[in-house]
């Protein structure tokens, strides 16, 4: 039953502590910790817990649970993402997409990547929005130019725990990229293939809006692990988000979840809330297609201010930062359950309107 406690060279973990680890649940999702344990060892007073996912933020609540149960162990968390690489040294590739522009997709992708890095993951971010590369600004890398150790391959930039590659490092930010679809797709593939990516647990790809050439190129040329769709609650955005969902279903890319951005506005003076873009539209869309809602984010001035300043708001001590971090953990869990189901040979159930 406790096959995750498998080292014969360590002290015996008391039965009560084993039971606690077996039944303790993750604060955000209620997922059992036991399903994510890889190995547990105890040496003297040092308890080392190795997880199958980078979830280092659970260290404090788990430490507190042990103390409350009478165990004053010094807890150390680490992880081993055992997934085999799908592209070079990259283990998981996640597309962040939307059916239309203006829904906060790029801001969400940046904060999602930084949130995963905060959990201890090795994270890369590819700015695939060829016509409007805004992510260098959001990570404080505006004006940076590409570098190459051999004049052939490119080094990614690094900021806030995230490795970044963007067409914005190659073109003049004042000039428009007047490229036809095939040319833009080729530029993106070159950007991906000729970058010296380090070993990564996750590569987040910020997709351009729509369902055109670039999206199809990414779907057909890359071993994509899954996709996330960002929308706002309004009907216009939901209609286009539905098209993005349909596209991923047609090209057999698993939809890991939906993120509803700008769900509500909260007045900074009186605290009252207003559903400017409608109410629960993203939730209803997710229910219709039987996909999880990874999170709902408010319309908040500080998110925009931090993006303009080049420091993702997830790095700040603000309530909305915790929402982004929760979304990051939910995404990792969705990826893990999908991989587990695939390994077990379970069929994937896809629900459509047909």
């Amino acid at each position: 039953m406790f096959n995750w406690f498998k080292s014969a060279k360590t002290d015996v973990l008391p039965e009560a502590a084993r039971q606690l680890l077996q039944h303790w649940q993750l604060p955000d999702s209620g997922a059992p910790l036991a399903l994510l344990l890889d190995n547990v060892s105890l040496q003297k007073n040092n308890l080392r817990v190795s997880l199958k996912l980078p979830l280092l933020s659970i260290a404090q609540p788990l430490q507190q649970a042990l103390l409350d149960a009478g165990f004053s162990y010094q807890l150390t968390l680490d992880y081993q993402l055992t997934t085999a690489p799908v592209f070079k040294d990259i283990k998981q590739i996640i597309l962040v997409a939307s059916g239309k522009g203006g829904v906060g997709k790029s801001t969400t992708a940046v904060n999602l990547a930084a949130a995963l890095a905060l959990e201890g993951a090795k994270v890369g971010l590819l700015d695939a929005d060829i016509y409007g590369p805004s992510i260098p600004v959001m990570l404080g890398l505006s004006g940076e130019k590409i570098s190459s150790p051999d004049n052939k391959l490119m080094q990614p930039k690094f900021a806030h725990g995230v490795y970044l590659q963007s067409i914005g490092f190659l073109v003049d930010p004042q000039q428009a990229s007047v490229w036809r679809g095939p040319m833009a797709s080729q530029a993106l593939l070159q950007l991906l293939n000729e970058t010296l990516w380090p070993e990564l647990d996750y590569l987040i790809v910020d997709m351009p809006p729509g369902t055109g050439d670039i999206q199809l190129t990414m779907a057909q040329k890359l071993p994509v692990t899954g996709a996330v769709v960002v929308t706002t609650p309004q009907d216009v955005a939901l209609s286009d988000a539905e098209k993005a969902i349909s596209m991923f279903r047609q090209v057999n890319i698993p939809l890991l979840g939906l993120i509803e951005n700008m769900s509500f506005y909260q007045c900074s003076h009186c605290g009252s809330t207003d559903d400017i873009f409608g109410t629960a539209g993203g939730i209803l869309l997710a229910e219709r297609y039987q996909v999880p809602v990874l999170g709902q984010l408010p319309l908040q001035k500080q998110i925009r201010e931090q993006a303009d300043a080049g420091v993702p708001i997830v790095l700040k001590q603000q309530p909305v930062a915790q929402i982004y971090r929760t979304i990051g953990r939910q995404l990792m869990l969705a990826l893990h359950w999908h991989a587990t189901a695939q390994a077990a040979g379970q069929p994937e159930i896809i629900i459509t309107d047909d």
Side-chain angles (χ1 to χ4, degrees):
M1 182 178 180
F2 299 105
N3 59 349
W4 35 262
F5 187 77
K6 50 193 176 186
S7 176
K9 299 180 181 179
T10 57
D11 299 335
V12 176
L13 188 68
E15 180 64 22
R18 291 191 181 202
Q19 288 292 335
L20 187 152
L21 294 176
Q22 181 75 8
H23 297 291
W24 193 76
Q25 297 179 338
L26 272 60
D28 290 333
S29 63
L33 178 66
L35 296 180
L36 302 174
L37 289 173
D38 183 55
N39 191 25
V40 177
S41 62
L42 178 65
Q43 275 189 320
K44 296 183 179 179
N45 199 47
N46 297 313
L47 179 64
R48 178 174 291 275
V49 176
S50 182
L51 302 171
K52 298 176 182 178
L53 291 176
L55 290 168
L56 304 188
S57 64
I58 71 170
Q60 193 279 329
L62 182 56
Q63 178 82 76
Q64 188 60 52
L66 288 164
L67 289 172
D68 293 343
F71 300 105
S72 57
Y73 300 137
Q74 182 61 47
L75 177 65
T76 300
L77 279 185
D78 60 21
Y79 80 97
Q80 180 62 46
L81 195 65
T82 57
T83 307
V86 296
F87 178 80
K88 297 186 176 181
D89 290 327
I90 301 169
K91 293 183 177 179
Q92 310 261 20
I93 297 177
I94 304 106
L95 307 183
V96 177
S98 65
K100 70 186 297 294
V103 298
K105 170 186 55 61
S106 295
T107 305
T108 301
V110 167
N111 281 282
L112 184 57
L116 296 177
L118 286 172
E119 293 291 338
K122 297 182 283 289
V123 185
L125 178 57
L126 175 64
D127 185 358
D129 198 344
I130 296 293
Y131 302 108
S134 58
I135 288 183
V137 173
M138 296 183 187
L139 285 177
L141 295 169
S142 180
E144 292 282 332
K145 296 300 181 184
I146 211 69
S147 61
S148 172
D150 57 5
N151 292 321
K152 294 180 180 179
L153 300 177
M154 299 172 284
Q155 289 283 7
K157 302 297 182 182
F158 184 78
H160 307 301
V162 176
Y163 292 92
L164 172 66
Q165 183 59 286
S166 170
I167 196 70
F169 299 139
L170 292 167
V171 300
D172 186 338
Q174 306 301 321
Q175 298 296 317
S177 299
V178 188
W179 296 343
R180 295 187 184 276
M183 183 177 177
S185 298
Q186 183 59 38
L188 177 58
L189 287 176
Q190 189 173 351
L191 201 65
L192 178 71
N193 287 303
E194 297 181 10
T195 294
L196 293 167
W197 297 106
E199 181 181 336
L200 297 175
D201 297 318
Y202 306 105
L203 176 64
I204 305 295
V205 181
D206 178 42
M207 301 287 285
T211 56
D213 287 334
I214 294 177
Q215 290 83 352
L216 289 175
T217 297
M218 295 298 292
Q220 295 170 349
K221 301 290 187 180
L222 269 185
V224 177
T225 312
V228 174
V229 171
V230 180
T231 187
T232 58
Q234 71 201 90
D235 290 344
V236 172
L238 292 170
S239 176
D240 290 327
E242 196 167 13
K243 294 180 177 67
I245 292 172
S246 176
M247 178 193 71
F248 289 128
R249 292 275 166 86
Q250 289 181 44
V251 295
N252 296 316
I253 291 179
L255 188 60
L256 302 169
L258 186 144
I259 298 172
E260 187 183 78
N261 203 15
M262 308 180 199
S263 292
F264 62 91
Y265 168 74
Q266 185 169 29
C267 178
S268 59
H269 299 291
C270 66
S272 64
T273 61
D274 189 3
D275 297 332
I276 294 176
F277 295 111
T279 304
I283 294 176
L284 295 175
L285 182 64
E287 289 176 352
R288 180 178 178 185
Y289 283 92
Q290 295 291 290
V291 296
V293 176
L294 299 177
Q296 294 175 283
L297 292 155
L299 175 63
Q300 193 175 89
K301 180 175 70 173
Q302 289 83 355
I303 298 175
R304 190 270 306 165
E305 289 176 337
Q306 290 300 137
D308 288 346
V311 181
I313 198 169
V314 72
L315 302 175
K316 299 295 183 178
Q317 294 296 322
Q318 296 196 27
V320 71
Q322 294 306 315
I323 301 177
Y324 278 116
R325 294 199 67 174
T326 298
I327 291 172
R329 289 188 287 268
Q330 295 290 83
L331 175 61
M332 286 191 290
L333 287 170
L335 285 163
H336 179 70
W337 304 140
H338 172 72
T340 301
Q342 277 196 323
Q346 297 178 5
E348 183 181 1
I349 299 175
I350 297 177
I351 298 176
T352 68
D353 291 336
D354 298 336

